[in-house]
Amino acid sequence: MRSSMIVIALAATIGAAPLVAAPTSPAVSHAVEDATRPKADRDADALRMPAETLAFAGVKPGMTIGEFYPGSGYFTRMISDVVGPKGHVYAMENVKWKSPDTDKLSTGLNNVSVDAEPFGTVRFPAPLDLAWVTQNYHDLKIAKYGPVDIAAFNRAVFAALKPGGVFFVLDHEAPAGTDDAGIAKLHRIERAQVIREVTAAGFKLQSEGSFLRRPADDHTLPIFDKAIQGKTDQYALRFVKPR
């Protein structure tokens, strides 16, 4: 795979911002190209754009990363590969979602530890360089997965990060004015709502990635609807904890 370029919208506010390009590092390219990754993961790459995602988030060798809700480990394996033996991935799973696939991550990857706790728990044994949540921030608003105080969650993520650390959020765009009932139905959340909630905890919006923006998605269908599944309009937000 050739080194790809990411279009990033630098933003300090919710409004529009200048665009710049950032290259994918050799470490990220190596992780994505790893032939030992499960075939199902590699087949999903064309839609999920992992190289762009990892590079935009800023995953680098030696980092300590907290990954929320790793599931079967699509991103966990690649993050583990990028951070390498001098880094570590602390994966925090919802105890209700824990599965044998989740357990395999900590046994098969030497630099990955997996903990399953009540939904919304933020507890890591070391300060983080990067906190990561992809396609699951909206789930924190869905009561059946476990009650979560979203303001307390974001404050806890802020406290878990080192000064200058990054909180990376990627999710599915929702129609304007979508409430919690709509989030539960669509499994989408407005970009503007995420920005309001995360910055209220003290974070600054540093940059925005447009690599998963898909104008053909009008945001009205649930993300699991076969007409749109895998092809939703998604935003990538990089928040930073001030030094």
Side-chain angles (χ1 to χ4, degrees):
M1 179 185 295
R2 291 177 311 214
S3 211
S4 57
M5 302 295 287
I6 313 167
V7 176
I8 300 174
L10 295 179
T13 66
I14 295 176
L19 297 177
V20 298
T24 300
S25 71
V28 167
S29 295
H30 178 271
V32 174
E33 293 167 5
D34 187 347
T36 67
R37 293 176 59 218
K39 182 178 184 301
D41 286 5
R42 289 182 278 117
D43 289 346
D45 287 351
L47 292 175
R48 299 198 68 173
M49 303 186 71
E52 291 82 353
T53 305
L54 291 160
F56 173 77
V59 181
K60 297 176 182 177
M63 276 187 163
T64 300
I65 294 180
E67 182 191 11
F68 290 100
Y69 321 122
S72 62
Y74 174 83
F75 275 115
T76 314
R77 294 181 183 87
M78 290 182 282
I79 296 171
S80 166
D81 198 348
V82 175
V83 302
K86 294 184 178 179
H88 202 89
V89 182
Y90 293 102
M92 179 66 68
E93 187 57 277
N94 180 1
V95 68
K96 292 185 177 182
W97 296 346
K98 189 171 180 287
S99 69
D101 285 339
T102 308
D103 292 332
K104 290 177 184 177
L105 297 176
S106 55
T107 56
L109 301 170
N110 293 333
N111 62 351
V112 174
S113 304
V114 180
D115 190 13
E117 299 286 349
F119 204 31
T121 298
V122 181
R123 182 166 57 242
F124 300 102
L128 304 177
D129 296 296
L130 171 66
W132 171 293
V133 58
T134 52
Q135 300 182 338
N136 286 117
Y137 186 95
H138 71 269
D139 288 321
L140 295 163
K141 317 289 282 191
I142 301 177
K144 71 178 182 179
Y145 298 143
V148 177
D149 180 334
I150 196 67
F153 174 85
N154 286 322
R155 289 194 301 268
V157 174
F158 187 92
L161 285 161
K162 300 173 184 177
V166 167
F167 185 20
F168 171 62
V169 182
L170 184 151
D171 220 314
H172 311 271
E173 185 65 276
T178 300
D179 59 11
D180 285 359
I183 291 171
K185 177 182 177 181
L186 297 173
H187 285 260
R188 299 171 177 266
I189 187 169
E190 284 184 79
R191 161 190 173 273
Q193 181 176 354
V194 174
I195 294 172
R196 286 195 304 269
E197 293 177 353
V198 174
T199 55
F203 287 100
K204 302 298 182 184
L205 178 60
Q206 184 184 61
S207 53
E208 179 171 355
S210 61
F211 48 90
L212 283 171
R213 281 299 196 178
R214 297 182 173 114
D217 175 19
D218 67 5
H219 311 149
T220 60
L221 294 176
I223 67 167
F224 302 115
D225 189 298
K226 296 302 181 183
I228 199 66
Q229 188 171 14
K231 297 172 287 187
T232 57
D233 182 28
Q234 298 170 55
Y235 49 84
L237 304 172
R238 182 181 160 97
F239 300 93
V240 64
K241 176 178 178 175
R243 294 183 182 276

